[in-house]
Amino acid sequence: KAVVSTQSTGACSSSGQRRPRRRRGVFKADQDAVRNLVEMGFPEGEVVAALEVTRNNQQEACSYLLGDKHEVGQSNDMYTPLPRDHALYKLVMERSDIQKALMTPKFLDAMRDLEDKKATIVDFSDDSEIGPILFQLSKAIQKFSSQT
């Protein structure tokens, strides 16, 4: 997918630019965002690291570089850890196949695509490596969501 070019304005915002998709666990920094942040005076290595942490979100990367490292992604309840007595937590801890999948770049990329609404679970149904795990987790999440 193409990345929409933005002009450097000296501000941290990125005027609605789309994040490039990650594949096979290899991060590719958005070069327009790198150039814009480097022009603001940040070292290129730190810029690339900040863009990786923020998944190529130029505004969040700018905040990260300015010292707001603890605020990245924390505004979303989705990142709140499950309590150890939660049924979904227990399911994951009991299933080694789910634990292994959670640690693979391919699975994490799929989860990001789902989170960003770039894909649905059906898009991964033919993938024998992660499709069944995503389906199991989805069923469990739906079950636990309906109980609360």
Side-chain angles (χ1 to χ4, degrees), residues 6-17 32-34 36-38 40-42 51 54 56-68:
T6 60
Q7 299 287 39
S8 176
T9 61
C12 293
S13 65
S14 61
S15 14
Q17 104 190 45
D32 290 331
V34 171
N36 291 340
L37 292 167
V38 167
M40 297 165 102
F42 298 110
L51 287 168
T54 62
N56 272 324
N57 182 311
Q58 183 176 329
Q59 186 171 355
E60 284 187 19
C62 183
S63 294
Y64 185 88
L65 290 163
L66 290 170
D68 293 338

Side-chain angles (χ1 to χ4, degrees), residues 7 15 20 27 42 45 50 64 66 68 71 75 78-79 81-82 87 95 99 120 123 128 134 138 142:
Q7 299 287 39
S15 14
F27 174 74
F42 298 110
Y64 185 88
L66 290 170
D68 293 338
E71 294 183 19
S75 62
M78 161 178 222
Y79 298 104
L82 289 173
R95 300 280 309 272
Q99 292 174 31
T120 66
D123 295 324
S128 62
L134 285 171
S138 173
Q142 288 175 1

Side-chain angles (χ1 to χ4, degrees), residues 1-7 13-23 27-34 36 51 54-59 112-113 116-119:
K1 295 184 179 183
V3 175
V4 178
S5 176
T6 60
Q7 299 287 39
S13 65
S14 61
S15 14
Q17 104 190 45
R18 295 173 64 177
R19 288 179 265 169
R21 250 176 124 151
R22 294 179 60 200
R23 288 287 168 223
F27 174 74
K28 181 166 175 40
D30 178 339
Q31 293 305 303
D32 290 331
V34 171
N36 291 340
L51 287 168
T54 62
R55 296 188 334 232
N56 272 324
N57 182 311
Q58 183 176 329
Q59 186 171 355
R112 286 188 180 114
D113 288 347
D116 294 341
K117 299 188 185 332
K118 294 179 183 176

Side-chain angles (χ1 to χ4, degrees), residues 15-141:
S15 14
Q17 104 190 45
R18 295 173 64 177
R19 288 179 265 169
R21 250 176 124 151
R22 294 179 60 200
R23 288 287 168 223
R24 294 180 295 262
V26 177
F27 174 74
K28 181 166 175 40
D30 178 339
Q31 293 305 303
D32 290 331
V34 171
R35 184 175 51 257
N36 291 340
L37 292 167
V38 167
E39 285 176 1
M40 297 165 102
F42 298 110
E44 185 171 347
E46 292 180 25
V47 165
V48 171
L51 287 168
E52 183 170 13
V53 166
T54 62
R55 296 188 334 232
N56 272 324
N57 182 311
Q58 183 176 329
Q59 186 171 355
E60 284 187 19
C62 183
S63 294
Y64 185 88
L65 290 163
L66 290 170
D68 293 338
K69 292 175 175 57
H70 298 292
E71 294 183 19
V72 174
Q74 288 186 353
S75 62
N76 190 336
D77 289 340
M78 161 178 222
Y79 298 104
T80 304
L82 289 173
R84 290 177 187 245
D85 62 344
H86 192 283
L88 185 56
Y89 179 89
K90 289 178 181 177
L91 172 73
V92 171
M93 295 311 291
E94 291 169 358
R95 300 280 309 272
S96 63
D97 56 333
I98 294 176
Q99 292 174 31
K100 288 177 187 173
L102 291 172
M103 302 307 290
T104 64
K106 185 176 183 180
F107 185 86
L108 295 174
D109 285 343
M111 292 301 293
R112 286 188 180 114
D113 288 347
L114 292 168
E115 176 188 356
D116 294 341
K117 299 188 185 332
K118 294 179 183 176
T120 66
I121 289 180
V122 174
D123 295 324
F124 301 100
S125 62
D126 291 336
D127 188 318
S128 62
E129 189 178 345
I130 62 172
I133 302 295
L134 285 171
F135 183 70
Q136 290 172 17
L137 286 173
S138 173
K139 276 181 50 176
I141 290 168

